[in-house]
């Protein structure tokens, strides 16, 4: 790991200004991806701005129609929250599948979404539930936030403050874990929302995506059987040592059906 | 160099370190607390698990500066002197270790589980052990030991 400067910011304003004042400074949330990337010299920022002391980036707020998850809220906090379990059970269940207990004690929703790993869980939650990503300067709908592999609509020193999830009528998440990394080989989140049915797929392609044909089929008939004849195009999907694109295409349908069956 | 200060096993600890110093190296090299092991160094094996403000974390994936101002509990702080913690007793009783390299994580990780779920099911114990590798025991002895320690109900450590 190359050395770097370290600053513990006490406010969002301070953090944003500090990263903005450098060429390649980075925000540091839980560090579950960034610290390994530093160790492998895949990242070599001149400055890390640690967000841990900014108290209002942490926490869960539920009103009648939506759930706000602060960017520095850990996966463990989401998983263990009785309120989340009651209001958006799919989110608590999804958080419980991330990594392992020690990773969930450190990893944060803001870090996961900003990183936009092609096989991460939270991007599927944000896109599938139609979340809005609240930053220090604007709100970004999930439909425009996830721009490509490890790429988002965030500007270089733009900081995620919270993720706002509209509470769905019902939703389910089904994940086929890559057993060594515990990332999704493929995972699908299906949600009935006030804006219609949404289907988000992670792990299968370079960036989380919505499957519109599945959404239309489920809009007519919200049952696993409705997906029997949907065409899943393998051409756009990832092929690697863990699974061919044809295998992933198969998983997309099976997991979408399981997510529908699990929806509550 | 950056000044870090934290409470480790109830004692204040302070040093000037490079920002890139990992917590596991700070504990081992600066404080000579070598019970926390550096195993895979990639967050996979869990040999470096310690508690940070009461929660188990992997010390190979945390910078020492990130822990500054926090309370850290390592395997050395779990039981006083030569007395064994009830969980350590149970691991001995149930053959929950062989080479012993991973045993610090077993103890630190399981204490975190038992603080949150004082009466876990076998499945909950096995799920919890994910992300922590033991190449000797096959986990059955570890699982039995944690269940036994839970049954005694004396699993809270004083320093966490």
């Amino acid at each position: 790991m190359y050395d770097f400067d370290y600053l513990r910011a006490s406010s969002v304003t301070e953090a944003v200004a500090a990263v903005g004042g450098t060429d390649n400074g980075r925000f540091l949330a839980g560090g579950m991806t960034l610290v390994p990337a530093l160790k492998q010299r895949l990242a070599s920022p001149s400055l890390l701005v640690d967000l841990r002391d900014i108290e209002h980036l942490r926490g869960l707020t539920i009103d009648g129609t939506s759930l706000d998850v602060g960017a520095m809220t850990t996966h463990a906090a989401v998983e263990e929250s009785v309120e989340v379990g009651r209001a958006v059970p799919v989110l608590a269940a999804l958080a419980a599948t991330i990594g392992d207990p020690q990773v969930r004690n450190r990893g944060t929703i803001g870090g996961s979404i900003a990183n936009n790993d092609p096989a991460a869980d939270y991007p599927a939650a944000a896109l599938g539930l139609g979340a809005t990503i609240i930053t220090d300067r604007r709100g970004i709908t999930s439909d425009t936030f996830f721009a490509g592999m490890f790429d988002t609509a965030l500007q270089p020193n733009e900081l995620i403050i919270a993720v706002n999830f509209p509470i769905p009528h019902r939703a389910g998440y089904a994940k086929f874990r890559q057993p060594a990394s515990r990332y999704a080989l493929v995972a699908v989140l299906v949600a009935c929302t006030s804006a219609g049915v949404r289907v988000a797929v992670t792990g299968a392609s370079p960036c989380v995506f919505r499957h519109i044909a599945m959404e239309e089929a489920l809009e007519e008939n919200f049952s696993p059987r409705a997906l029997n004849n949907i065409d899943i195009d393998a051409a756009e999907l990832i092929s690697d040592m863990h699974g061919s694109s044809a295998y992933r295409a198969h998983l997309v349908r099976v997991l979408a059906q399981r997510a529908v069956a699990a929806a509550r | 160099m950056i000044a870090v200060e934290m409470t480790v096993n109830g004692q204040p600890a302070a040093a000037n370190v490079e920002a890139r110093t990992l917590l596991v190296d700070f504990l081992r090299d600066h404080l000579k607390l070598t019970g926390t092991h550096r195993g895979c160094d990639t967050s996979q094996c869990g040999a470096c698990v310690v508690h940070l403000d009461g929660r188990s974390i992997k010390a190979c994936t945390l910078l020492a500066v990130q822990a500054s101002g926090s309370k850290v509990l390592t395997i050395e702080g779990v039981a006083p002197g030569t007395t064994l913690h009830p969980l350590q007793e149970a691991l001995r009783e149930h053959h929950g270790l062989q080479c012993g390299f991973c045993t610090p994580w077993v103890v630190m990780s399981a204490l975190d589980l038992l603080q949150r779920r004082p009466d876990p099911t076998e499945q909950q114990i096995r799920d919890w052990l994910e992300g922590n590798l033991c190449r000797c025991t096959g986990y059955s002895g570890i699982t039995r030991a944690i269940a036994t320690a839970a049954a005694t109900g004396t699993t809270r450590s004083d320093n966490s």
Side-chain angles (χ1 to χ4, degrees):
Chain A
M1 185 178 350
Y2 296 110
D3 207 11
F4 43 80
D5 292 327
Y6 172 88
L7 172 76
R8 202 179 275 189
S10 53
S11 71
V12 168
T13 311
E14 184 189 3
V16 168
V19 169
T22 64
D23 283 342
N24 63 345
R26 296 277 295 268
F27 298 114
L28 175 61
M32 292 296 94
T33 300
L34 183 51
V35 173
L38 295 172
K39 289 163 80 171
Q40 294 174 56
R41 297 185 172 178
L42 295 171
S44 51
S46 55
L47 171 71
L48 286 186
V49 177
D50 193 341
L51 307 171
R52 68 163 261 182
D53 285 350
I54 309 176
E55 208 45 54
H56 80 272
L57 293 181
R58 232 175 273 275
L60 300 153
T61 315
I62 298 175
D63 67 22
T65 57
S66 73
L67 162 68
D68 243 23
V69 183
M72 285 291 284
T73 308
T74 63
H75 311 324
V78 173
E79 170 190 0
E80 292 169 6
S81 163
V82 175
E83 293 78 14
V84 174
R86 204 173 289 140
V88 194
V90 71
L91 199 64
L94 174 144
T97 73
I98 300 173
D100 58 52
Q102 283 75 43
V103 167
R104 295 196 291 275
N105 278 342
R106 290 290 308 168
T108 67
I109 189 169
S112 171
I113 286 190
N115 189 49
N116 192 19
D117 188 291
D121 298 276
Y122 267 131
L127 187 61
L129 295 170
T132 300
I133 289 81
I134 314 294
T135 77
D136 63 299
R137 61 202 70 170
R138 57 184 170 151
I140 309 173
T141 64
S142 54
D143 284 321
T144 57
F145 183 83
F146 299 104
M149 190 159 76
F150 294 109
D151 191 20
T152 68
L154 290 171
Q155 292 162 2
N157 69 336
E158 188 168 7
L159 179 64
I160 299 176
I161 305 295
V163 182
N164 178 269
F165 294 95
I167 294 175
H169 304 312
R170 56 180 163 156
Y173 186 61
K175 174 177 178 179
F176 192 92
R177 272 179 146 193
Q178 207 281 41
S181 73
R182 295 176 284 279
Y183 276 93
L185 190 61
V186 173
V188 181
L189 189 138
V190 174
C192 288
T193 75
S194 50
V197 175
R198 294 172 70 97
V199 176
V201 181
T202 188
S205 84
C207 182
V208 64
F209 67 94
R210 285 172 66 187
H211 201 290
I212 304 301
M214 283 195 191
E215 292 180 357
E216 288 169 352
L218 291 171
E219 198 71 63
E220 281 191 18
N221 174 16
F222 194 81
S223 80
R225 200 175 309 150
L227 303 178
N228 281 350
N229 298 315
I230 300 290
D231 185 40
I232 314 285
D233 186 3
E236 301 288 316
L237 304 187
I238 298 173
S239 245
D240 63 17
M241 63 188 285
H242 304 300
S244 67
S245 55
Y247 180 65
R248 280 186 164 85
H250 177 74
L251 283 179
V252 169
R253 183 201 316 284
V254 171
L255 293 170
Q257 290 175 318
R258 289 184 187 175
V260 171
R264 63 189 175 95
Chain B
M1 303 289 265
I2 295 181
V4 297
E5 52 84 24
M6 61 190 83
T7 304
V8 179
N9 301 332
Q11 301 294 317
N16 288 316
V17 300
E18 288 185 313
R20 62 181 168 176
T21 304
L22 297 169
L23 180 61
V24 65
D25 295 326
F26 178 72
L27 294 171
R28 291 178 57 86
D29 298 344
H30 289 257
L31 304 183
K32 307 301 179 193
L33 294 171
T34 53
T36 301
H37 292 159
R38 179 196 265 264
C40 69
D41 200 19
T42 57
S43 316
Q44 306 286 322
C45 80
C48 63
V49 169
V50 300
H51 288 197
L52 182 78
D53 295 326
R55 292 272 179 153
S56 59
I57 58 102
K58 291 179 175 176
C60 81
T61 311
L62 193 82
L63 303 167
V65 286
Q66 288 178 278
S68 193
S70 288
K71 283 186 185 168
V72 174
L73 179 71
T74 72
I75 187 68
E76 288 91 346
V78 166
T82 55
T83 312
L84 291 182
H85 186 280
L87 177 58
Q88 293 170 310
E89 283 283 7
L91 283 162
R92 184 170 70 177
E93 181 72 21
H94 292 279
H95 197 69
L97 67 153
Q98 186 171 315
C99 83
F101 185 82
C102 77
T103 309
W105 80 244
V106 176
V107 174
M108 301 316 292
S109 182
L111 286 177
D112 189 10
L113 169 67
L114 295 174
Q115 284 170 18
R116 291 194 231 185
R117 292 184 190 275
D119 190 19
T121 64
E122 182 183 337
Q123 190 59 49
Q124 286 168 337
I125 294 171
R126 288 184 178 274
D127 287 347
W128 186 265
L129 295 178
E130 190 162 31
N132 295 270
L133 301 179
C134 170
R135 298 287 81 150
C136 299
T137 65
Y139 302 99
S140 290
I142 294 174
T143 305
R144 282 196 299 273
I146 296 170
T148 299
T152 68
T154 52
T155 50
R156 283 198 78 92
S157 58
D158 294 335
N159 289 315
S160 67

